[in-house]
Amino acid sequence: MPEKQQWTIATTEQPPEKFIQAVKQYTPASSGLYAAQLLWQRGIKDNQQLAAFVNHKTYQPASPFEFGQEMHLAIARLQQVYNNKEKIAIWGDFDADGITATSVLWDGLGEFFVQNTQLIYYIPNRLKESHGLNNQGIDNLAKQGCKLIVTCDTGSTNIDEIVYAKQLGIDVIVTDHHTLPAERPPVAAIINPRYLPREHQLFHLSGVAVAYKLVEALYQKMPNVPQHPLEDLLDLVAVGLIADLVQLSGDCRYLAQVGIQRLQEDFKQPAAARRRPGVGRLLELCQKSGDRPTDISFGLGPRINAVSRIQGDASFCVELLTSRDAKRCNELAEVTELANARRKSLQKDVQAQVTQKLTQLDLSTTSVIVLEDAQWPAGVLGLVAGQVAQETGRPTILLSTEGLGSREWGMGNREDSTPTPYSLLPTPPSLARGSARSVNSVDLYQLVKDQAHLLHRFGGHPFAAGLSLPIENIPLFTAAINQQLRQSLGGTTLTPTLQADLTLTVADLGKELFLELKLLEPCGMGNPVPKLLIQNCWFENTWNRNIRDSKGKEVKYIKTEFKIRDDSSKVGFPGIWWGHYRDEVPQSRCDVIVELDYNSYADTNKGIKPHYEVRLLAVRPCANAAEFTSTNNLDFILDWRNLSNPKSSEFKTHNSALILEDCPTNWDDLRAWLRRSLYNNQQLAIAWSKPNQQPPNQIWLTLVGIAKYLSRTNQPVTRVQLLEKLGIRDQTLFWGIKALKYLGFTVKLQDRYLQISWDAINNSENHADEAISQFLAAIQEEQFQQQYFAEVPLSTIMAIVRSQELKVSSIVGWVERSETLPPVFNG
């Protein structure tokens, strides 16, 4: 169970009046005081620093040759390839930083080498190979005649694999930003900003930014070859930088600023004229415009990451980001969107199970949380570990003990970067594989590294790591890493903390403050989004809304909308609380920590206009506020699934139970029944059977057949009759009716009956294919969810309920961050 959160307020030192006036020059519509306080807190304390921070045009980016001899070696080898017409392979990575880095090299090096013949790319399968170089992939490239591998976002510690490539006559140029090896590997060149001093303006570059610097150097050395400007790559650089959550200072901030500008400019173009139609379509799907860093961190980034988490192979994402074929990009964007939806389902499932396991831990004696399960999909463990670490204030390691195939064994791995030689281990042992996340400035990488003798592989950085180890070593590893952290803490207790940057009132909120704080964007590590403390306030007009995706299907998130007020204003200010119900909102005065945002979403049909709002992060009662209470009696769910007749006399002892026979397709449906049973003080019997699903194409043909029959006989039909005959839900039927209309059918509602007729004049078969595809996709998604709920363990359902109950009883509510945010932030 998450511990009560500790709130802190950033130390406020009043900046000099001269500095405040300097800031005000950039915020003419406001006093500039709040922005000045934040900038002063964050180390921006003179006019030169201020100008470089705020205006990218005054910043002087570093030359790519600041990497010294290594960059010169890399360019010399690339020039040799160019002159000798050798074949190159880009070896990328499957997360958003790695995908964008691969795309930058694909487009950038593609100006010098012919794509698909002289230049190819390879991205490991996340679920089969994991990060980094591996011998099997190198063999594959050798057979294709490659003489040079250029890595991006990976490779620094793959010593054995680099040696192996060299034995096959393949040179390697490493571009990476992860952990350095003890000694320089035998490569043609290694470009890694960690070789630079920590204060260097290139030190915090992510993988995509390092790849960009390599291309920039090649542009400078061979300026007459490229046909397109180097700046065309900057939008991809911004996506990778912000999605990878690196510290946005120095060149990182500069590249993010100019990249977001390019991203927005391209998105404003008509869809047919965009340079990157795939990026544009992804932005449309998450209802963003590309002008804010959050459009990337909560929109584009999670979608790109979801592909490998769900499918393993994310290679098509490079095509999505670089192709100029709008039709193809739209298809790939839809696949990406579906992967993201499924990622959310899996993540929520694992989160619920982890929450259940946490109730069995004594956090007072636990310094590092280590949990394992044989059913957890490895692809989402890092996301859930990050959530748990934030909620508990403790480093968290989640391990999947599901069987690993021989392909995973012995593979090079960015996160698993200290391998036991494959030749010494002819038989793969039973391995656990997982992800670790840290908080409270605990160096997780060092903690894990100190237990290397118990591990198979590990790697990462202070706040995130990946590891694999023999299953039998998990108890030893858990005990050792906890003992080590306890000793290093010296009796200090870890608690979840949230720091507010400014204290203000409701009257301060609005456009002026937003534009003033926007001066700090792009925000990220080292320069977080300002968190605002409002004290002694209260909520009004609270209500819930279900969020639907771009296809109109309900997704598994709700949000509470509200107006927040205090004594400074007679008018409430709008706000949202993602993933929470209205009855979780305090009824009395309270303190809150919020972020101020601009919601650009508009829907004229629904009367929704762009507006400023706050995003609630945490809430606690004022000193005199009454505390919440909530029922903890959760033993009310009866599992009657797949029973022949749940209403027979066999179950008369539970004759007061509320029986749910229709298999739900999302957690909101099930949660609504749970809340109803709680309200009525009834047990809930989940009594649906495993669905007998027809192929989507057969359902479509059945619908068309019904439409033809009804139009010919002029008979009416009810919506319920159609749903029962087709075995689908309302929203899916909506797409089916839409497809029928394109075939020439007219569907009218008359006295609760649907009247279907056919008119050849209204036939629009040009658009029918897309509508039919949407209907089939809706069926597939609905069937996927039904299959999930038909088999989901009761323990998972109970954990979901328990987590909801814990939220209601908890004083502090956390917004689900990162890739778990709902569609407006995360799709």
Short mmCIF file of all heavy atoms in Angstrom, two decimals, residues 185-206:
data_model
loop_
_atom_site.label_atom_id
_atom_site.label_comp_id
_atom_site.label_asym_id
_atom_site.label_seq_id
_atom_site.Cartn_x
_atom_site.Cartn_y
_atom_site.Cartn_z
N PRO A 185 36.50 -0.01 -26.30
CA PRO A 185 36.31 -1.24 -27.06
C PRO A 185 37.06 -1.17 -28.41
O PRO A 185 37.42 -0.08 -28.87
CB PRO A 185 34.79 -1.28 -27.29
CG PRO A 185 34.36 0.15 -27.19
CD PRO A 185 35.28 0.80 -26.20
N PRO A 186 37.28 -2.31 -29.05
CA PRO A 186 38.02 -2.34 -30.32
C PRO A 186 37.14 -1.91 -31.50
O PRO A 186 36.82 -2.72 -32.38
CB PRO A 186 38.45 -3.80 -30.44
CG PRO A 186 37.39 -4.56 -29.72
CD PRO A 186 36.97 -3.68 -28.58
N VAL A 187 36.76 -0.64 -31.51
CA VAL A 187 35.84 -0.13 -32.53
C VAL A 187 36.56 0.84 -33.45
O VAL A 187 37.66 1.35 -33.13
CB VAL A 187 34.65 0.60 -31.87
CG1 VAL A 187 33.76 -0.37 -31.13
CG2 VAL A 187 35.13 1.69 -30.92
N ALA A 188 35.93 1.12 -34.58
CA ALA A 188 36.46 2.15 -35.46
C ALA A 188 36.36 3.51 -34.78
O ALA A 188 37.24 4.37 -34.94
CB ALA A 188 35.69 2.16 -36.79
N ALA A 189 35.29 3.71 -34.03
CA ALA A 189 35.11 4.94 -33.25
C ALA A 189 33.99 4.71 -32.24
O ALA A 189 33.09 3.90 -32.47
CB ALA A 189 34.76 6.11 -34.16
N ILE A 190 34.06 5.40 -31.12
CA ILE A 190 32.98 5.37 -30.13
C ILE A 190 32.66 6.80 -29.74
O ILE A 190 33.52 7.53 -29.24
CB ILE A 190 33.32 4.51 -28.89
CG1 ILE A 190 32.17 4.58 -27.87
CG2 ILE A 190 34.65 4.90 -28.27
CD1 ILE A 190 32.30 3.57 -26.74
N ILE A 191 31.43 7.22 -30.00
CA ILE A 191 30.99 8.58 -29.72
C ILE A 191 29.96 8.49 -28.60
O ILE A 191 28.82 8.07 -28.81
CB ILE A 191 30.39 9.24 -30.98
CG1 ILE A 191 31.42 9.21 -32.11
CG2 ILE A 191 29.97 10.67 -30.69
CD1 ILE A 191 30.85 9.58 -33.45
N ASN A 192 30.39 8.88 -27.43
CA ASN A 192 29.54 8.78 -26.24
C ASN A 192 29.82 9.99 -25.37
O ASN A 192 30.96 10.21 -24.94
CB ASN A 192 29.86 7.47 -25.49
CG ASN A 192 28.86 7.20 -24.36
OD1 ASN A 192 28.43 8.12 -23.67
ND2 ASN A 192 28.51 5.94 -24.18
N PRO A 193 28.81 10.81 -25.08
CA PRO A 193 29.04 12.04 -24.31
C PRO A 193 29.52 11.80 -22.90
O PRO A 193 30.01 12.73 -22.24
CB PRO A 193 27.67 12.72 -24.33
CG PRO A 193 26.69 11.64 -24.62
CD PRO A 193 27.41 10.66 -25.49
N ARG A 194 29.44 10.58 -22.41
CA ARG A 194 29.92 10.31 -21.06
C ARG A 194 31.45 10.39 -20.96
O ARG A 194 31.99 10.42 -19.86
CB ARG A 194 29.42 8.94 -20.59
CG ARG A 194 27.91 8.89 -20.39
CD ARG A 194 27.51 7.76 -19.48
NE ARG A 194 26.08 7.76 -19.24
CZ ARG A 194 25.50 7.18 -18.20
NH1 ARG A 194 26.25 6.58 -17.29
NH2 ARG A 194 24.20 7.21 -18.05
N TYR A 195 32.11 10.40 -22.09
CA TYR A 195 33.56 10.63 -22.07
C TYR A 195 33.89 12.10 -21.81
O TYR A 195 35.02 12.44 -21.48
CB TYR A 195 34.17 10.22 -23.41
CG TYR A 195 34.36 8.73 -23.59
CD1 TYR A 195 33.67 8.03 -24.57
CD2 TYR A 195 35.24 8.01 -22.77
CE1 TYR A 195 33.85 6.66 -24.75
CE2 TYR A 195 35.42 6.65 -22.94
CZ TYR A 195 34.73 5.97 -23.92
OH TYR A 195 34.91 4.62 -24.09
N LEU A 196 32.90 12.99 -21.97
CA LEU A 196 33.11 14.42 -21.79
C LEU A 196 32.94 14.80 -20.32
O LEU A 196 32.31 14.06 -19.55
CB LEU A 196 32.11 15.21 -22.64
CG LEU A 196 32.18 14.96 -24.16
CD1 LEU A 196 30.99 15.62 -24.85
CD2 LEU A 196 33.49 15.49 -24.73
N PRO A 197 33.46 15.95 -19.90
CA PRO A 197 33.24 16.41 -18.53
C PRO A 197 31.74 16.61 -18.28
O PRO A 197 30.99 16.97 -19.18
CB PRO A 197 33.98 17.75 -18.48
CG PRO A 197 34.97 17.68 -19.59
CD PRO A 197 34.36 16.86 -20.66
N ARG A 198 31.31 16.38 -17.04
CA ARG A 198 29.90 16.45 -16.71
C ARG A 198 29.31 17.83 -17.02
O ARG A 198 28.12 17.95 -17.36
CB ARG A 198 29.69 16.11 -15.23
CG ARG A 198 28.25 16.23 -14.75
CD ARG A 198 28.07 15.63 -13.37
NE ARG A 198 28.15 14.18 -13.40
CZ ARG A 198 27.11 13.38 -13.69
NH1 ARG A 198 25.93 13.91 -13.95
NH2 ARG A 198 27.25 12.08 -13.69
N GLU A 199 30.12 18.88 -16.91
CA GLU A 199 29.60 20.22 -17.15
C GLU A 199 29.57 20.59 -18.63
O GLU A 199 29.11 21.68 -19.00
CB GLU A 199 30.42 21.25 -16.38
CG GLU A 199 31.89 21.35 -16.79
CD GLU A 199 32.78 20.32 -16.12
OE1 GLU A 199 32.24 19.43 -15.42
OE2 GLU A 199 34.01 20.41 -16.30
N HIS A 200 30.04 19.71 -19.51
CA HIS A 200 30.08 20.00 -20.94
C HIS A 200 28.65 20.10 -21.49
O HIS A 200 27.76 19.36 -21.06
CB HIS A 200 30.86 18.92 -21.69
CG HIS A 200 31.29 19.31 -23.06
ND1 HIS A 200 30.42 19.35 -24.13
CD2 HIS A 200 32.49 19.70 -23.55
CE1 HIS A 200 31.06 19.74 -25.22
NE2 HIS A 200 32.33 19.96 -24.89
N GLN A 201 28.44 20.99 -22.45
CA GLN A 201 27.09 21.21 -22.97
C GLN A 201 26.56 20.03 -23.77
O GLN A 201 25.37 19.97 -24.07
CB GLN A 201 27.06 22.48 -23.83
CG GLN A 201 27.91 22.42 -25.09
CD GLN A 201 28.15 23.79 -25.70
OE1 GLN A 201 29.17 24.42 -25.44
NE2 GLN A 201 27.21 24.27 -26.48
N LEU A 202 27.42 19.08 -24.11
CA LEU A 202 26.98 17.88 -24.82
C LEU A 202 26.79 16.67 -23.90
O LEU A 202 26.36 15.61 -24.35
CB LEU A 202 27.98 17.50 -25.92
CG LEU A 202 28.18 18.49 -27.06
CD1 LEU A 202 29.27 17.98 -28.00
CD2 LEU A 202 26.89 18.72 -27.82
N PHE A 203 27.09 16.81 -22.62
CA PHE A 203 27.17 15.66 -21.73
C PHE A 203 25.85 14.90 -21.63
O PHE A 203 25.83 13.67 -21.51
CB PHE A 203 27.61 16.09 -20.33
CG PHE A 203 27.75 14.95 -19.36
CD1 PHE A 203 28.90 14.16 -19.36
CD2 PHE A 203 26.74 14.65 -18.45
CE1 PHE A 203 29.02 13.09 -18.48
CE2 PHE A 203 26.87 13.59 -17.57
CZ PHE A 203 28.02 12.81 -17.58
N HIS A 204 24.71 15.61 -21.66
CA HIS A 204 23.42 14.96 -21.41
C HIS A 204 22.71 14.51 -22.69
O HIS A 204 21.53 14.13 -22.62
CB HIS A 204 22.51 15.91 -20.62
CG HIS A 204 23.00 16.19 -19.23
ND1 HIS A 204 23.00 15.25 -18.23
CD2 HIS A 204 23.54 17.32 -18.69
CE1 HIS A 204 23.51 15.78 -17.12
NE2 HIS A 204 23.83 17.03 -17.37
N LEU A 205 23.39 14.53 -23.83
CA LEU A 205 22.74 14.12 -25.07
C LEU A 205 22.17 12.71 -24.95
O LEU A 205 22.79 11.82 -24.39
CB LEU A 205 23.73 14.14 -26.23
CG LEU A 205 24.31 15.49 -26.68
CD1 LEU A 205 25.13 15.29 -27.96
CD2 LEU A 205 23.22 16.52 -26.91
N SER A 206 20.99 12.52 -25.52
CA SER A 206 20.42 11.17 -25.62
C SER A 206 20.93 10.50 -26.88
O SER A 206 21.69 11.09 -27.67
CB SER A 206 18.89 11.24 -25.64
OG SER A 206 18.45 11.76 -26.89
#
